[in-house]
Every structure is written in structure tokens, then in C-alpha cells.
Amino acid sequence: QLQASGGGLVQAGGSLRLSCAGSGRTFSNYAVGWFRQAPGKEREFVAVISWSGGTSYYADSVKGRFAVSRDNAKNTVNLQMNSLRPEDTAVYFCAADRLYGIRSDKYGSWGQGTLVTVSS
């Protein structure tokens, strides 16, 4: 099971740190992806990190502003979001799967989502 947290209201240019807490001994065996869904839009890929944390990949829209990391000892994956923009406003979800990828339909386990609102 996954649980995302850390969302909130922030002004443009500000920062937030999202966390995804996983349960179970096998969490460290899974790649974890972050996705977001804005009102009226489809869910889109944000970032992914491999099971070891050694590989990560970002959507062009967040590259250079967001950073994903993980602490397998704590079963946690973090998404540090800097220089936030109003267009980053969305519900953010974390998802886990044994395969490393950017397609949301390939992820088998999902957290409940956390809302990020960026005001202009």
C-alpha cells in the first residue's frame, strides 16, 4: 500500500516536498512513479525513480525544478518540488511497480493522491 502526503497551498516560486510512504518488506524492490492530474485533464507522468534510487527520469515540464529521491530503509520516496508554477496545480499520485516506466497504466499499486495548489 502507498500513501502520498505533503500537498498544500503555495505561492508561485515556492517549494513543497511530497512523500510517498510504502508498506511491506518488498517496497525497496519497486520503482516508484509520480503522476499528477489537474482538473479536467488526463493524468500525466511527472517523475520516476528506480528501485535502487540510482536512476530517475522526469517529464520535460518539471525537469530542473523537481527532484525525486528515496530512502528504502524508511520505505519512503520523496518528490522535492521547487520553483512551483500555477500550472503545477494538480492532485499528485505516487505509484509503484516492479517495472520502471512512465506509463500510468503499467503501475499496479497507487496511493490516494495529495493536492498541490500553486497560486499566482
Side-chain angles (χ1 to χ4, degrees), residues 22-33:
S23 61
R25 297 180 179 178
T26 60
F27 180 76
S28 61
N29 294 337
Y30 287 74
V32 173

Side-chain angles (χ1 to χ4, degrees), residues 66-80:
F66 291 12
V68 60
S69 62
R70 70 187 299 160
D71 184 342
N72 284 337
K74 297 181 179 180
N75 279 1
T76 301
V77 172
N78 296 313
L79 182 68
Q80 178 66 41

